[in-house]
Protein backbone atom coordinates (compact mmCIF):
# COMPACT_ATOMS: atom_id res chain seq x y z
CA UNK A 1 0.00 0.00 0.00
CA UNK A 2 1.42 3.30 -1.06
CA UNK A 3 -0.73 5.87 0.72
CA UNK A 4 1.59 8.69 -0.30
CA UNK A 5 1.21 7.94 -4.01
CA UNK A 6 -2.55 7.61 -3.65
CA UNK A 7 -2.73 10.84 -1.69
CA UNK A 8 -1.00 12.65 -4.53
CA UNK A 9 -3.79 11.62 -6.88
CA UNK A 10 -6.78 12.35 -4.70
CA UNK A 11 -5.86 13.58 -1.27
CA UNK A 12 -6.60 10.18 0.24
CA UNK A 13 -8.25 7.08 -0.87
CA UNK A 14 -10.95 4.56 -0.37
CA UNK A 15 -9.31 1.62 -1.96
CA UNK A 16 -7.78 4.57 -3.74
CA UNK A 17 -9.93 7.15 -1.95
CA UNK A 18 -10.04 6.57 1.84
CA UNK A 19 -7.83 6.91 4.89
CA UNK A 20 -5.34 4.19 5.63
CA UNK A 21 -7.71 2.05 7.67
CA UNK A 22 -10.00 1.81 4.65
CA UNK A 23 -7.24 0.90 2.19
CA UNK A 24 -6.68 -2.75 1.44
CA UNK A 25 -5.10 -4.74 -1.32
CA UNK A 26 -6.45 -8.03 -2.58
CA UNK A 27 -4.10 -10.02 -0.35
CA UNK A 28 -4.79 -8.15 2.90
CA UNK A 29 -7.48 -10.51 4.16
CA UNK A 30 -9.60 -7.57 5.34
CA UNK A 31 -13.26 -8.35 5.78
CA UNK A 32 -15.61 -6.50 3.43
CA UNK A 33 -18.21 -4.28 5.07
CA UNK A 34 -21.60 -5.84 5.61
CA UNK A 35 -24.56 -4.47 3.69
CA UNK A 36 -26.35 -1.48 5.18
CA UNK A 37 -29.70 -2.54 6.63
CA UNK A 38 -32.91 -0.85 5.48
CA UNK A 39 -33.91 -0.29 9.09
CA UNK A 40 -31.34 0.26 11.81
CA UNK A 41 -31.56 -2.20 14.71
CA UNK A 42 -32.52 -0.77 18.09
CA UNK A 43 -29.55 0.71 19.92
CA UNK A 44 -28.34 -0.61 23.26
CA UNK A 45 -28.85 1.95 26.06
CA UNK A 46 -25.58 3.55 27.17
CA UNK A 47 -24.28 5.03 30.43
CA UNK A 48 -23.66 8.76 30.83
CA UNK A 49 -19.92 8.20 30.32
CA UNK A 50 -20.52 6.13 27.16
CA UNK A 51 -22.80 8.93 25.92
CA UNK A 52 -19.91 11.36 26.45
CA UNK A 53 -17.82 9.23 24.06
CA UNK A 54 -20.82 9.06 21.66
CA UNK A 55 -20.93 12.87 21.61
CA UNK A 56 -17.17 13.04 21.13
CA UNK A 57 -17.40 10.65 18.15
CA UNK A 58 -20.09 12.84 16.57
CA UNK A 59 -17.90 15.89 17.19
CA UNK A 60 -15.00 14.11 15.48
CA UNK A 61 -17.17 13.32 12.44
CA UNK A 62 -18.42 16.91 12.40
CA UNK A 63 -14.82 18.19 12.24
CA UNK A 64 -14.45 16.43 8.88
CA UNK A 65 -17.90 17.50 7.64
CA UNK A 66 -17.03 21.12 8.48
CA UNK A 67 -13.51 20.88 6.96
CA UNK A 68 -11.97 21.90 10.29
CA UNK A 69 -8.42 20.55 10.52
CA UNK A 70 -7.80 22.08 13.94
CA UNK A 71 -10.94 20.48 15.41
CA UNK A 72 -10.04 17.15 13.77
CA UNK A 73 -6.58 17.22 15.36
CA UNK A 74 -8.07 18.05 18.77
CA UNK A 75 -9.77 14.63 18.83
CA UNK A 76 -6.50 12.73 18.39
CA UNK A 77 -4.15 11.50 21.09
CA UNK A 78 -0.61 12.75 20.43
CA UNK A 79 0.49 9.16 19.79
CA UNK A 80 -2.64 8.00 17.90
CA UNK A 81 -2.28 5.02 15.53
CA UNK A 82 -4.64 4.95 12.53
CA UNK A 83 -4.92 1.81 10.43
CA UNK A 84 -4.12 0.06 13.70
CA UNK A 85 -4.67 -3.43 12.23
CA UNK A 86 -2.16 -2.93 9.42
CA UNK A 87 1.49 -3.94 9.64
CA UNK A 88 2.50 -0.26 9.44
CA UNK A 89 -0.18 2.01 10.89
CA UNK A 90 0.00 5.78 10.59
CA UNK A 91 1.44 6.98 13.89
CA UNK A 92 1.20 10.33 15.61
CA UNK A 93 -1.30 13.18 15.51
CA UNK A 94 0.59 15.25 12.94
CA UNK A 95 1.03 12.36 10.51
CA UNK A 96 -2.65 11.32 10.82
CA UNK A 97 -3.76 14.90 10.16
CA UNK A 98 -1.45 15.04 7.14
CA UNK A 99 -2.81 11.77 5.77
CA UNK A 100 -6.45 12.83 6.26
CA UNK A 101 -5.94 16.27 4.68
CA UNK A 102 -7.79 15.36 1.46
CA UNK A 103 -10.80 14.00 3.32
CA UNK A 104 -10.92 16.97 5.65
CA UNK A 105 -10.76 19.28 2.65
CA UNK A 106 -13.62 17.28 1.09
CA UNK A 107 -13.29 18.52 -2.48
CA UNK A 108 -13.36 15.16 -4.27
CA UNK A 109 -14.61 12.79 -1.60
CA UNK A 110 -16.95 13.30 1.33
CA UNK A 111 -16.71 10.98 4.35
CA UNK A 112 -19.46 10.75 6.94
CA UNK A 113 -19.80 8.39 9.90
CA UNK A 114 -21.61 8.04 13.18
CA UNK A 115 -21.53 5.76 16.23
CA UNK A 116 -23.96 2.91 16.79
CA UNK A 117 -22.17 1.36 19.78
CA UNK A 118 -19.90 2.62 22.52
CA UNK A 119 -18.40 0.56 25.35
CA UNK A 120 -16.27 1.72 28.26
CA UNK A 121 -14.05 -0.88 29.86
CA UNK A 122 -11.13 -1.41 32.16
CA UNK A 123 -10.60 1.40 34.63
CA UNK A 124 -13.20 3.62 32.95
CA UNK A 125 -10.53 5.56 31.09
CA UNK A 126 -10.71 3.56 27.83
CA UNK A 127 -13.65 3.35 25.42
CA UNK A 128 -14.43 1.67 22.10
CA UNK A 129 -16.81 3.02 19.47
CA UNK A 130 -18.04 1.66 16.17
CA UNK A 131 -20.49 2.48 13.43
CA UNK A 132 -20.97 2.79 9.68
CA UNK A 133 -19.01 5.07 7.36
CA UNK A 134 -20.20 6.41 4.01
CA UNK A 135 -17.88 7.63 1.26
CA UNK A 136 -19.42 9.84 -1.42
CA UNK A 137 -17.37 10.65 -4.53
CA UNK A 138 -18.30 14.17 -5.59
CA UNK A 139 -17.47 13.84 -9.29
CA UNK A 140 -20.93 13.55 -10.98
CA UNK A 141 -19.65 10.77 -13.27
CA UNK A 142 -17.98 8.73 -10.53
CA UNK A 143 -18.80 5.03 -10.36
CA UNK A 144 -19.48 3.75 -7.86
CA UNK A 145 -20.67 7.03 -6.39
CA UNK A 146 -21.03 5.63 -2.85
CA UNK A 147 -19.13 3.12 -0.78
CA UNK A 148 -20.00 1.88 2.70
CA UNK A 149 -17.62 0.67 5.35
CA UNK A 150 -17.41 0.70 9.12
CA UNK A 151 -14.98 2.10 11.63
CA UNK A 152 -13.75 1.11 15.08
CA UNK A 153 -12.02 3.58 17.38
CA UNK A 154 -10.41 3.22 20.78
CA UNK A 155 -10.56 6.34 22.94
CA UNK A 156 -8.61 7.21 26.09
CA UNK A 157 -9.52 9.91 28.56
CA UNK A 158 -6.75 12.51 28.55
CA UNK A 159 -5.36 14.23 31.64
CA UNK A 160 -7.77 17.14 31.07
CA UNK A 161 -10.75 14.76 30.97
CA UNK A 162 -11.27 14.94 27.18
CA UNK A 163 -11.65 11.70 25.23
CA UNK A 164 -8.94 11.31 22.54
CA UNK A 165 -8.60 8.64 19.87
CA UNK A 166 -5.67 6.30 20.46
CA UNK A 167 -6.43 3.62 17.82
CA UNK A 168 -8.59 3.73 14.70
CA UNK A 169 -9.28 1.11 12.05
CA UNK A 170 -12.17 -0.28 10.06
CA UNK A 171 -13.63 -2.61 7.49
CA UNK A 172 -12.80 -2.28 3.82
CA UNK A 173 -15.56 -0.25 2.12
CA UNK A 174 -17.66 -1.83 -0.61
CA UNK A 175 -19.67 -0.18 -3.39
CA UNK A 176 -23.13 0.93 -2.25
CA UNK A 177 -26.34 1.94 -3.97
CA UNK A 178 -28.10 5.27 -3.59
CA UNK A 179 -30.76 3.46 -1.51
CA UNK A 180 -28.07 2.19 0.86
CA UNK A 181 -26.64 5.70 1.14
CA UNK A 182 -30.11 6.98 2.05
CA UNK A 183 -30.48 4.19 4.63
CA UNK A 184 -27.15 5.25 6.11
CA UNK A 185 -28.44 8.83 6.45
CA UNK A 186 -31.69 7.63 8.07
CA UNK A 187 -29.72 5.60 10.61
CA UNK A 188 -27.84 8.62 11.98
CA UNK A 189 -28.91 9.95 15.34
CA UNK A 190 -27.48 12.76 17.40
CA UNK A 191 -29.11 11.74 20.65
CA UNK A 192 -27.36 9.02 22.61
CA UNK A 193 -29.58 6.07 23.65
CA UNK A 194 -29.24 6.62 27.43
CA UNK A 195 -29.96 4.06 30.10
Amino acid sequence: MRATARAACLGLSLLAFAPAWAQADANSGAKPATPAPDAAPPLTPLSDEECAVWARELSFARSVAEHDTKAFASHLHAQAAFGAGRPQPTRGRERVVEQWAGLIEGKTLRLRWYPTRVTIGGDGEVAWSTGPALYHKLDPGAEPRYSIGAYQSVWRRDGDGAWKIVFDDGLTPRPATEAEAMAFERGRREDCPRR
Side-chain angles (χ1 to χ4, degrees):
M1 292 193 238
R2 294 181 303 271
T4 306
R6 291 178 184 160
C9 294
L10 192 53
L12 280 177
S13 55
L14 141 90
L15 301 171
F17 317 115
W21 56 260
Q23 297 173 19
D25 57 36
N27 298 322
S28 72
K31 297 178 188 174
T34 56
D38 286 336
L43 298 173
T44 304
L46 302 177
S47 69
D48 287 345
E49 281 300 310
E50 289 166 330
C51 283
V53 176
W54 178 285
R56 189 75 169 144
E57 185 72 67
L58 289 174
S59 171
F60 185 45
R62 197 166 26 259
S63 73
V64 172
E66 294 174 357
H67 318 292
D68 188 338
T69 302
K70 185 176 179 181
F72 177 86
S74 75
H75 291 83
L76 306 178
H77 186 277
Q79 300 305 317
F82 273 48
R86 294 181 320 146
Q88 297 194 357
T90 303
R91 296 181 185 276
R93 179 186 298 130
E94 289 77 20
R95 180 69 181 108
V96 171
V97 170
E98 178 184 304
Q99 187 182 50
W100 276 65
L103 279 174
I104 296 167
E105 188 177 56
K107 290 186 176 178
T108 58
L109 181 71
R110 182 179 303 141
L111 170 61
R112 293 186 306 276
W113 73 92
Y114 54 82
T116 54
R117 291 180 54 204
V118 173
T119 303
I120 291 182
D123 59 4
E125 302 297 309
V126 177
W128 170 84
S129 63
T130 188
L134 180 71
Y135 301 85
H136 176 193
K137 294 180 191 173
L138 300 179
D139 177 359
E143 285 298 328
R145 183 150 202 169
Y146 299 101
S147 293
I148 289 181
Y151 76 89
Q152 296 182 8
S153 297
V154 175
W155 299 78
R156 180 161 188 81
R157 197 187 320 255
D158 219 354
D160 63 1
W163 290 97
K164 304 274 178 101
I165 295 177
V166 179
F167 298 107
D168 187 81
D169 213 331
L171 298 177
T172 303
R174 62 157 180 84
T177 65
E178 182 120 7
E180 289 172 313
M182 292 172 67
F184 167 89
E185 296 296 347
R186 286 191 305 271
R188 180 183 174 83
R189 60 183 287 172
E190 292 284 328
D191 57 317
C192 181
R194 293 184 185 275
R195 288 186 186 146

